[in-house]
Structure formats: structure tokens, C-alpha cells
Amino acid sequence: MILPVREIKNSYSKKTSNKTIFCFAYQEDLDQAYAFYCSRYENISYKEFMQLGLFEFKKKLGSVPKTEPLYDIIKSRTINIASIKDKEERKYWRELRRINQIPQIFIPTKEVFDNLKGRLKETSQLGGK
């Protein structure tokens, strides 16, 4: 089974096309993906799982069956809620989208630079250059 796909409208033309969107929040979904991978393909260590190449990982992830919780997590991020006619089903997917949304983490530039300066000082105090 192929993962859910979101309809994308090209702003340069009036055509609507389906394109695959890789809606996977790496940190938040990693445990779920590891459990799926082990149960479906092979029982590998977490370290081996982390060393999978991106293309192999995406290929395996693309075959997630509808019965897996990971499927619903990804579907909740890509489903077009406005196209659902049933009020209860729309409410269900809206709530799942809220629960499973990919966190938007933005760190101010100043905070990044301050953190880097602090690390640089630590490194130079330990004998680094």
C-alpha cells in the first residue's frame, strides 16, 4: 500500500497533480517506524536501523499497510480535511492532525550564535583551537 499523498496545485498552471510528500517528523516518528520495520521486515538492532540509507528507508516506509498506526499518523498530516463530508469523520481527522502535527521548532539566530560561542569557548578551554 502506498502512503497517503496530498494534492498539490501548481501556482504556475491550473493543473492539480498528486505528488508524494514525505511527511515524517524524524524524531517524533522514529520509534514507530522502527517497530514497523522490525515487525514487517526483519528484527534488526536500533543501531543498524539508524544506519539504513534514506532511499531504502523511504522505500520500506512507502509500503506501510493501512493497519499500522504509522499509516494513520502520516495520513493525518496529508489528508484534505475539507473534502470529508461526514462531520464526525472530519472531526476525527482534525483531532488526529492536531495530535500528530510535526512540531515547528524555530531557534532565533542570536540563540544559535550564543550557543556556538559557548561551545567554542568550551573547546578552546579543553585545548582545542
Side-chain angles (χ1 to χ4, degrees):
M1 189 75 208
I2 297 175
L3 283 176
V5 174
R6 176 179 274 175
E7 244 181 36
I8 306 284
K9 188 160 189 164
N10 185 342
S11 60
Y12 297 108
S13 70
K14 304 278 185 205
K15 293 181 182 177
T16 300
S17 64
N18 285 337
K19 293 188 179 180
T20 302
I21 297 176
F22 194 57
C23 289
F24 186 82
Y26 196 69
Q27 290 296 322
E28 285 71 21
D29 300 336
L30 201 54
D31 292 337
Q32 196 70 250
Y34 175 64
F36 162 72
Y37 191 90
C38 286
S39 68
R40 176 90 181 227
Y41 296 105
E42 56 187 277
N43 194 9
I44 64 172
S45 72
Y46 192 72
K47 183 179 180 181
E48 291 171 318
F49 175 73
M50 293 300 291
Q51 293 174 347
L52 286 176
L54 179 63
F55 293 108
E56 181 182 354
F57 179 73
K58 281 178 67 175
K59 189 169 79 174
K60 302 281 190 198
L61 194 64
S63 66
V64 174
K66 288 183 177 182
T67 56
E68 284 290 326
L70 185 57
Y71 181 90
D72 283 342
I73 290 170
I74 295 172
K75 183 176 179 178
S76 70
R77 295 176 184 154
T78 59
I79 194 168
N80 181 359
I81 295 174
S83 68
I84 301 172
K85 296 190 187 330
D86 181 32
K87 188 177 180 179
E88 288 301 312
E89 186 179 358
R90 204 171 37 241
K91 182 179 176 184
Y92 169 78
W93 284 109
R94 189 174 286 119
E95 181 64 12
L96 267 184
R97 176 174 279 173
R98 185 190 65 75
I99 292 167
N100 296 316
Q101 71 185 9
I102 296 174
Q104 301 298 315
I105 301 171
F106 298 101
I107 301 173
T109 307
K110 183 181 179 338
E111 187 178 333
V112 171
F113 284 137
D114 290 345
N115 192 355
L116 287 173
K117 283 179 189 175
R119 301 263 172 140
L120 189 59
K121 282 181 183 178
E122 289 173 14
T123 305
S124 61
Q125 288 173 358
L126 294 173
K129 294 184 179 190

